[in-house]
Amino acid sequence: MKKILVTGGAGYIGSHTVVELQEAGYAPIIIDNFSNSEESALEGIAAILGKEIPCYRVDCTDAVAMRQVFEQEQDIQGVIHFAAYKAVGESVAEPLKYYHNNVGSLVALLQVMSEFNVYNLVFSSSCTVYGIPDKLPVTEQTPVQKANSPYGNTKKICEEILSDLAASGAEMNSIALRYFNPIGAHPSARIGELPLGVPSNLVPFITQTAIGIREQVTVFGSDYDTPDGTCIRDYVHVVDLAKAHVVAIDRLLEGKVDKLEFYNVGTGNGNTVLEAIQAFELATGVKLNYKIGPRRAGDVPKIYADVTKATEVLGFKTTSTLEEAMASAWKWQVSLKESTTEA
Ligand code: NAD
């Protein structure tokens, strides 16, 4: 089985990808420093797969420690690099923390990969690189704009690093996946999104409110130029997103990538925040306590993906509806409550 190193593999998207890689016949190996995850994710992965996945507690900015992992594992065929900080607000308050971790980890990783002749990389990028787009849906040709947060800028800089490396003729092949809004959880409810502290994403905020951890969801702005005035996002089920990484790795290992490719990974549909709330209520039968508040600075009014390229080239397809994704997020939230009540 081909070994794939997954940095940030104990995190939300990483843990789901580890499961899909193993189920597709790869041998995933996790690196994580658990700065934004818990070891319980490893237990969840093991429960789904019926086997433990090797995990190294290593910081990706530490090239010396990463080198040891590559030495020990010997024949790593490719890397999926999730490890990064992702809280937009925190990145505004502590930009250096974000540049150090998100940019520093990619640079260290690329150096160590080259030393060990590992030349296949999937990088976690984001639709944040499109800023506020002029035309919808956004394609991979939609111009990248000035980032509106240090977090967004780290994604833009990391993409530029990959482009510069490709232009240098270096022997590295990369796929940057630009995620839209991942939501939901594994159908087993053994892994899911585990925000430490107050969630900055909508869906964990919804599920934590519905279960009584938070009092109320605030919908930021109802006067945008959208059908119901609330922001539009492209919510993609995390299991569908995880599978996009498997087909990206397939393509890299088949030698089909010439230096660098970019793909949007979303559903191709935009939903308003109120539609997302309605989907949650319909899927779960739980009434959500929410209020409409003022706009939040920095929010993109509307964005959703054109996924033609990922569909045609990678064979990527989504299988889950918004309601199914909401139902899985709720099942995960309920299971978390049950496990803390039992403990
Ligand atoms: P997450 O925080 O759940 O997972 C990231 C994991 O990386 C965590 O387990 C964390 O402990 C680990 N990590 C962070 N820095 C590390 C370091 N220096 N060394 C080792 N491990 C480190 O986040 P996620 O939602 O799974 O996101 C994964 C990737 O996808 C990130 O790069 C993020 O920026 C990107 N992304 C996420 C979203 C989203 O909405 N969740 C959207 C677009 C892009």
Side-chain angles (χ1 to χ4, degrees):
M1 282 163 91
K2 292 179 177 155
K3 287 185 185 174
I4 307 296
L5 190 68
V6 185
T7 77
Y12 174 43
I13 309 168
S15 57
H16 290 81
T17 302
V18 165
V19 167
E20 296 307 319
L21 282 169
Q22 176 75 36
E23 288 184 342
Y26 289 106
I29 296 153
I30 297 172
I31 283 188
D32 207 298
N33 66 358
F34 296 92
S35 54
N36 196 38
S37 52
E38 292 182 3
E39 296 214 351
S40 59
L42 304 180
E43 292 160 24
I45 293 170
I48 295 167
L49 295 173
K51 68 170 285 203
E52 282 186 19
I53 298 299
C55 175
Y56 294 84
R57 185 180 274 268
V58 159
D59 191 311
C60 294
T61 60
D62 180 349
V64 175
M66 295 248 284
R67 219 166 262 136
Q68 284 169 356
V69 177
F70 277 74
E71 248 153 31
Q72 187 150 341
E73 292 294 341
Q74 293 286 329
D75 50 350
I76 292 168
Q77 307 283 308
V79 180
I80 307 181
H81 183 47
F82 291 105
Y85 295 147
K86 62 169 182 178
V88 173
E90 186 187 50
S91 79
V92 176
E94 296 180 74
L96 294 184
K97 178 175 167 180
Y98 275 68
Y99 287 113
H100 173 75
N101 197 46
N102 295 9
V103 180
S105 65
L106 177 68
V107 173
L109 174 66
L110 288 167
Q111 279 167 342
V112 176
M113 285 175 70
S114 302
E115 287 169 30
F116 285 84
N117 303 321
V118 179
Y119 298 125
N120 298 307
L121 174 74
V122 179
F123 173 69
S124 296
S125 192
S126 167
C127 67
T128 183
V129 298
Y130 297 119
I132 299 179
D134 294 333
K135 256 175 63 188
L136 289 172
V138 289
T139 73
E140 291 78 0
Q141 267 70 53
T142 299
V144 165
Q145 293 191 21
K146 186 180 174 332
N148 58 2
S149 72
Y151 165 73
N153 207 25
T154 67
K155 293 295 168 193
K156 185 167 174 269
I157 292 169
C158 286
E159 286 197 355
E160 285 166 357
I161 289 172
L162 295 176
S163 297
D164 288 346
L165 197 61
S168 77
E171 203 177 335
M172 180 68 66
N173 296 316
S174 310
I175 289 184
L177 298 179
R178 291 171 173 163
Y179 313 155
F180 283 66
N181 286 64
I183 62 164
H186 193 269
S188 65
R190 300 304 300 251
I191 51 172
E193 193 166 2
L194 198 60
L196 306 179
V198 182
S200 43
N201 288 343
L202 176 68
V203 174
F205 212 102
I206 288 179
T207 58
Q208 289 194 2
T209 303
I211 212 150
I213 299 171
R214 318 253 156 233
E215 210 180 308
Q216 196 173 45
V217 173
T218 302
V219 176
F220 298 109
S222 60
D223 56 353
Y224 288 103
D225 178 22
T226 63
D228 61 25
T230 64
C231 289
I232 289 179
R233 294 287 177 274
D234 184 336
Y235 297 101
V236 56
H237 195 298
V238 67
V239 174
D240 286 332
L241 174 58
K243 287 180 176 158
H245 295 78
V246 177
V247 289
I249 278 290
D250 288 344
R251 182 168 168 81
L252 281 160
L253 267 52
E254 284 160 11
K256 291 182 177 161
V257 178
D258 181 20
K259 301 293 179 212
L260 178 59
E261 296 179 348
F262 297 91
Y263 296 93
N264 289 339
V265 189
T267 62
N269 299 314
N271 285 101
T272 67
V273 176
L274 289 182
E275 283 168 355
I277 290 175
Q278 197 182 20
F280 172 81
E281 292 184 332
L282 273 170
T284 62
V286 180
K287 197 97 195 88
L288 186 74
N289 181 20
Y290 71 90
K291 67 164 189 201
I292 305 288
R295 289 184 179 197
R296 184 171 59 175
D299 274 344
V300 173
K302 44 186 169 179
I303 188 160
Y304 55 96
D306 180 321
V307 288
T308 310
K309 187 178 175 196
T311 309
E312 289 180 355
V313 183
L314 294 178
F316 167 73
K317 56 179 187 301
T318 52
T319 53
S320 295
T321 64
L322 182 56
E323 278 181 34
E324 284 163 351
M326 290 293 185
S328 70
W330 180 235
K331 191 175 165 196
W332 162 243
Q333 184 69 63
V334 170
S335 83
L336 276 179
K337 185 170 187 203
E338 282 164 0
S339 61
T340 37
T341 321
E342 280 161 19

